[in-house]
Amino acid sequence: MSQIINHSFDAIPQSYLFSEVARRVAAFRAAHPERQLIPMGIGDVTRPLCRPVIEALKKAAEEQTRAESFHGYGPEQGYDFLRRAVQAHYAVFGVQLDAGDIFISDGAKSDLGNLPDLFSQDCRVLLPDPVYPVYRDSNLMAGRKVEYLAATRENGFAPLPGEDLRADLVYLCSPANPTGAAYTKEQLAVWVDWALANDAVILYDAAYECFIREELPHSIYQVKGAERCAIEVCSLSKTAGFTGMRCGYTVVPQALVREGKSLRQMWLRRQCTKMNGVAYPVQRAAEAVFTPAGMAACKEDIDAYLKAASVVAGALEELGVWYCGGKNSPYIWMECPGRQDSWRFFDALLENAGIIGTPGSGFGENGKGYFRLSAFSGEENARAAMERLRAWLQS
Amino acid sequence: MSQIINHSFDAIPQSYLFSEVARRVAAFRAAHPERQLIPMGIGDVTRPLCRPVIEALKKAAEEQTRAESFHGYGPEQGYDFLRRAVQAHYAVFGVQLDAGDIFISDGAKSDLGNLPDLFSQDCRVLLPDPVYPVYRDSNLMAGRKVEYLAATRENGFAPLPGEDLRADLVYLCSPANPTGAAYTKEQLAVWVDWALANDAVILYDAAYECFIREELPHSIYQVKGAERCAIEVCSLSKTAGFTGMRCGYTVVPQALVREGKSLRQMWLRRQCTKMNGVAYPVQRAAEAVFTPAGMAACKEDIDAYLKAASVVAGALEELGVWYCGGKNSPYIWMECPGRQDSWRFFDALLENAGIIGTPGSGFGENGKGYFRLSAFSGEENARAAMERLRAWLQS
């Protein structure tokens, strides 16, 4: 008898990593209502939206109250005003995009989850490990097998393809979640050359590009040839504190063709069929991010998060705990003291220091014995957390 | 050699129906810039958002400017305040839902496009014909075959299952897009009984429930047993003019289990993995829809659209043109004069009366020779359009 349900769902863990973290935290809070916990787990921002964004949002809200300025269904791929703003943002990195290559969406997670729709059921998917679980789970749900490329301390958590590597679809994230590792332009060029030689497609997650402060590529399209092998996904969640506003963008270059098909055309068809664009007021708010005033305000927020990251990094250094990240990234990827089990350290850190982090093993095999701390709760929290960590580890 | 691209995309028409309509209209406008066209095509609303909604949106925007009231990532399935408001809305129809059955999303189109993720590749999909193209295209894209059930003038465009009907997944829309036909409670009970007897699942699209003014079910859950065989999708697009705001909701009852799996649990997993919820300000705006002031304002808007629909219906009656719909629905489904080709009538109507409509054949085989007019452009436009139609048809 044929089955009605998609049993590929059985292949994925019943609970999403961050839901399990939330569950354990809730249980701990219930048992210890008096304890003040410091959240350094999930990658959510804490600094409020900047004034230019709010003013744009409110102005658009008022437009929606009058028939003559009312906006109903917009273009599924986003309004031209916002696509042009994104286009101009890329030009700052020296990347010239066709506005038609840019698709506005309700966030990077949606696009990363939905982009597999464009690929065949049996295409070979390669993920770095450790990895943002969405890459893995969205492919497993669709019944695809996934293979892993080890990201380890030895390769700086930024693995490169060997000559014998074979895959059709590769996910890269730089600066990476969860490790904070970032590829150099030369390293990305190795990936692009490999993809072109193998007719592979790279899904490049640039969600953390705004944290880059050193000479590192903000976009894979800064590498020549990437427009023929890469799709890039980005978001305003981290750039502008849009986690609660839901707006991102994905670039599918016109030059990206496989088996005679334009992936840009396919993505347009997918989006036109299965979504209806992003709220008009949200798109106006997003447009304001890319104004000089918006960009200046956002940079100030990111600098503050980076300051918090440097506080964590400095404390770990002082404590002799191995870590990476914390530069060009809001994440610090630390070794669990004694290389202990990640979830055991999660519980111990919660119990002994009242700090909420994220177990590295939740991101994959190579995350075992590691732990992710996020700088999004700000400098004050970072200082307090590091005080507690110091007191605990030295006790 | 295995393929990398999903070639099921080749099976669907290159252009989405409404994109083709837009293309022809743009070409006509370019050739005849002096002509004033009356838009009675796409189902977009035209009346602005009501004041309670805008005030809620602006208030939420202000909350986002202060750290202490800032909302970042929300629950993927929506905030409790909105799920409870939807729950209360259902209670008005006598339907008691668990709040956990309710999932907030960025619209019915997204949910209808994404719900097939839960079902197996080879499940038997049945669609009425004519049909909203999203049901068809989202399944074809995923490589599924679809079968059709004829909705015809003879069955009032509201087909019922015969005893020998076999299918796993059935889409129903009531009041229907594009025909305006609405099922009675007795007819829906026939579908529910059939689904329960056949272990099938009904995807019930209630996007137009707010137009119901007669004694007809607003929800399939008004039929006993539906909680064990139906998923219901609804939206604020038509209820509250949210086409540009993007907010809808889907109900997956806890009692809906197939092959040992809870579909509610699967949908939660899908949503947690592949999306990040709806913008907080949009959810606050949606909450305001369900307040007494919001509901009163929305009813006024819908009454105005229904008035416009009655103007169209009255004119067609007078002209002796066969039609259905126009009651409990913003759509009027008319026969093309002389049963001519739908696209030919589309062009002729544009050319001779300056009216934009939607060709029935775009909705399926049984739409051939029919045409959809929408009442969303309002009473004044409806009167002007009917004047022009009368002048043309009587000339």
Side-chain angles (χ1 to χ4, degrees):
Chain A
M1 203 187 92
S2 74
Q3 293 188 305
I4 168 169
I5 294 299
N6 173 5
H7 285 279
S8 297
F9 273 62
D10 305 351
I12 53 172
Q14 194 56 26
S15 155
Y16 182 64
L17 168 62
F18 296 108
S19 316
E20 175 60 18
V21 168
R23 197 191 62 73
R24 292 198 189 204
V25 171
F28 186 83
R29 275 192 215 278
H32 308 278
E34 77 294 352
R35 294 284 297 273
Q36 293 291 322
L37 304 182
I38 304 179
M40 303 192 73
I42 195 168
D44 199 358
V45 298
T46 54
R47 294 173 70 90
L49 293 179
C50 65
R51 193 38 68 181
V53 163
I54 294 297
E55 290 311 322
L57 181 60
K58 287 165 68 178
K59 181 162 172 271
E62 276 303 329
E63 285 182 61
Q64 295 294 74
T65 63
R66 293 184 304 275
E68 61 278 16
S69 55
F70 176 77
H71 286 73
Y73 291 125
E76 285 91 346
Q77 64 271 45
Y79 280 102
D80 271 347
F81 63 77
L82 182 52
R83 300 167 90 193
R84 277 188 229 283
V86 173
Q87 189 183 33
H89 180 63
Y90 271 94
V92 175
F93 315 142
V95 174
Q96 308 301 330
L97 296 176
D98 185 307
D101 296 348
I102 299 164
F103 295 80
I104 306 303
S105 79
D106 65 324
K109 191 177 171 192
S110 300
D111 284 349
L112 288 162
N114 294 330
L115 278 162
D117 282 8
L118 306 190
F119 297 92
S120 76
Q121 203 62 19
D122 55 355
C123 81
R124 292 163 303 179
V125 178
L126 184 74
L127 309 178
D129 171 347
V131 73
Y132 178 45
V134 167
Y135 309 159
R136 178 193 65 211
D137 293 352
S138 55
N139 277 291
L140 292 180
M141 274 179 182
R144 286 192 199 85
K145 289 191 188 69
V146 299
E147 292 166 54
Y148 297 99
L149 189 60
T152 62
R153 194 183 296 190
E154 290 65 38
N155 59 31
F157 289 100
L160 291 172
E163 274 213 359
D164 56 344
L165 182 72
R166 294 287 170 272
D168 296 317
L169 190 57
V170 180
Y171 288 70
L172 299 177
C173 179
S174 178
N177 177 9
T179 64
Y183 283 110
T184 64
K185 196 170 168 183
E186 293 66 33
Q187 290 175 316
L188 278 188
V190 174
W191 271 113
V192 167
D193 290 344
W194 171 86
L196 290 172
N198 288 275
D199 284 332
V201 174
I202 296 171
L203 293 191
Y204 191 76
D205 182 350
Y208 297 91
E209 64 87 3
C210 58
F211 283 88
I212 293 174
R213 288 290 180 270
E214 299 180 337
E215 268 297 308
L216 293 165
H218 287 253
S219 162
I220 196 168
Y221 303 118
Q222 291 176 255
V223 175
K224 218 177 141 177
E227 72 283 357
R228 286 179 286 122
C229 67
I231 292 171
E232 183 162 299
V233 178
C234 198
S235 156
L236 296 181
S237 286
K238 308 303 154 81
T239 302
F242 264 49
T243 52
M245 292 287 284
R246 313 307 318 137
C247 195
Y249 47 94
T250 282
V251 178
V252 190
Q254 193 156 23
L256 180 56
V257 173
R258 287 292 179 277
E259 296 162 4
K261 301 292 168 187
S262 155
L263 272 80
R264 171 174 134 173
Q265 188 59 37
M266 288 177 72
W267 185 240
L268 179 65
R269 194 61 169 82
R270 193 266 169 216
Q271 296 296 81
C272 286
T273 302
K274 293 172 79 167
M275 59 94 82
N276 243 329
V278 173
Y280 171 73
V282 171
Q283 292 195 59
R284 282 295 184 196
E287 182 190 25
V289 168
F290 295 105
T291 59
M295 273 286 146
C298 292
K299 184 174 177 300
E300 209 173 292
D301 289 332
I302 293 163
D303 284 344
Y305 294 133
L306 282 169
K307 184 75 201 300
S310 74
V311 166
V312 175
L316 294 179
E317 189 114 21
E318 196 193 309
L319 287 165
V321 175
W322 186 92
Y323 75 94
C324 65
K327 282 193 301 186
N328 307 304
S329 169
Y331 297 124
I332 294 92
W333 181 248
M334 61 178 278
E335 189 180 60
C336 300
R339 200 72 177 250
Q340 67 186 283
D341 175 84
S342 303
W343 280 108
R344 213 178 113 196
F345 182 65
F346 174 90
D347 290 332
L349 188 67
L350 191 59
E351 175 71 37
N352 295 291
I355 298 170
I356 306 164
T358 310
S361 61
F363 299 100
E365 279 297 308
N366 289 294
K368 285 183 174 170
Y370 290 92
F371 203 76
R372 192 189 78 174
L373 292 175
S374 146
F376 285 119
S377 62
E379 187 180 344
E380 199 179 324
N381 275 324
R383 289 199 190 282
M386 291 305 103
E387 273 310 312
R388 292 188 189 180
L389 183 69
R390 195 175 287 118
W392 172 45
L393 290 185
Q394 292 177 342
S395 73
Chain B
M1 202 188 92
S2 75
Q3 293 188 304
I4 169 169
I5 293 300
N6 174 4
H7 286 279
S8 296
F9 273 63
D10 306 351
I12 52 172
Q14 193 55 26
S15 156
Y16 182 63
L17 168 61
F18 295 108
S19 315
E20 175 60 19
V21 167
R23 197 191 62 74
R24 293 199 188 204
V25 170
F28 186 84
R29 275 193 216 279
H32 308 278
E34 77 293 352
R35 295 283 298 274
Q36 292 290 323
L37 304 182
I38 304 180
M40 303 191 74
I42 194 166
D44 199 357
V45 298
T46 54
R47 294 173 71 89
L49 294 178
C50 64
R51 192 39 67 180
V53 164
I54 294 296
E55 291 311 322
L57 181 60
K58 287 165 68 178
K59 181 162 172 271
E62 276 303 331
E63 285 181 60
Q64 295 294 74
T65 64
R66 293 184 305 275
E68 61 277 16
S69 55
F70 176 77
H71 286 73
Y73 290 125
E76 284 90 347
Q77 64 272 44
Y79 280 100
D80 272 347
F81 63 77
L82 182 52
R83 300 167 90 193
R84 276 189 229 284
V86 173
Q87 189 184 33
H89 181 63
Y90 272 93
V92 175
F93 315 143
V95 174
Q96 309 300 331
L97 295 177
D98 183 307
D101 295 349
I102 299 164
F103 295 78
I104 306 303
S105 78
D106 67 324
K109 192 178 171 191
S110 300
D111 284 350
L112 288 162
N114 294 331
L115 278 162
D117 282 9
L118 306 190
F119 297 92
S120 76
Q121 204 61 19
D122 55 355
C123 82
R124 293 162 303 180
V125 178
L126 185 74
L127 309 177
D129 171 349
V131 73
Y132 178 43
V134 167
Y135 310 159
R136 179 193 64 209
D137 292 351
S138 56
N139 278 291
L140 292 180
M141 274 181 183
R144 285 191 199 86
K145 289 192 188 68
V146 299
E147 293 167 53
Y148 297 99
L149 190 60
T152 61
R153 193 182 299 190
E154 290 66 38
N155 59 32
F157 289 98
L160 291 172
E163 277 212 357
D164 55 346
L165 182 71
R166 293 290 170 270
D168 297 316
L169 190 58
V170 180
Y171 288 71
L172 299 177
C173 179
S174 178
N177 176 11
T179 64
Y183 284 110
T184 64
K185 195 169 169 184
E186 293 66 34
Q187 289 175 315
L188 277 189
V190 174
W191 272 112
V192 167
D193 290 344
W194 170 86
L196 290 172
N198 287 274
D199 284 331
V201 173
I202 295 171
L203 292 190
Y204 191 76
D205 182 350
Y208 297 92
E209 63 88 1
C210 59
F211 283 88
I212 293 173
R213 288 289 180 270
E214 299 181 337
E215 269 297 309
L216 293 165
H218 287 253
S219 162
I220 195 167
Y221 303 118
Q222 291 176 256
V223 175
K224 215 177 146 180
E227 71 284 358
R228 287 179 285 123
C229 67
I231 293 171
E232 182 162 299
V233 178
C234 198
S235 157
L236 296 182
S237 285
K238 309 301 154 81
T239 301
F242 264 48
T243 52
M245 291 288 283
R246 314 307 317 138
C247 195
Y249 47 93
T250 282
V251 178
V252 190
Q254 192 155 24
L256 181 55
V257 174
R258 287 293 178 277
E259 296 161 6
K261 302 291 166 187
S262 154
L263 273 80
R264 172 174 133 173
Q265 188 59 36
M266 288 178 71
W267 185 239
L268 179 64
R269 194 61 169 84
R270 192 265 169 218
Q271 295 297 81
C272 286
T273 302
K274 293 173 77 168
M275 58 93 83
N276 242 330
V278 173
Y280 171 73
V282 170
Q283 292 195 58
R284 281 293 183 196
E287 182 189 25
V289 168
F290 295 105
T291 59
M295 273 287 147
C298 292
K299 184 175 178 297
E300 210 172 290
D301 289 333
I302 292 163
D303 283 345
Y305 294 133
L306 283 169
K307 184 74 201 298
S310 74
V311 166
V312 175
L316 294 179
E317 189 115 20
E318 196 193 310
L319 286 164
V321 175
W322 186 92
Y323 75 94
C324 65
K327 281 193 302 189
N328 308 303
S329 169
Y331 297 125
I332 294 92
W333 181 248
M334 63 179 277
E335 188 180 59
C336 300
R339 200 73 178 250
Q340 66 186 284
D341 175 83
S342 302
W343 279 108
R344 212 178 113 195
F345 182 65
F346 174 90
D347 290 331
L349 187 67
L350 192 58
E351 175 71 38
N352 295 291
I355 299 170
I356 306 165
T358 309
S361 61
F363 300 100
E365 279 298 306
N366 289 294
K368 286 183 173 172
Y370 290 91
F371 203 77
R372 191 189 80 173
L373 292 175
S374 145
F376 284 120
S377 62
E379 187 180 344
E380 200 179 322
N381 274 324
R383 288 198 190 283
M386 291 305 104
E387 274 310 312
R388 292 187 189 180
L389 183 70
R390 195 175 287 118
W392 172 45
L393 290 184
Q394 292 178 342
S395 72

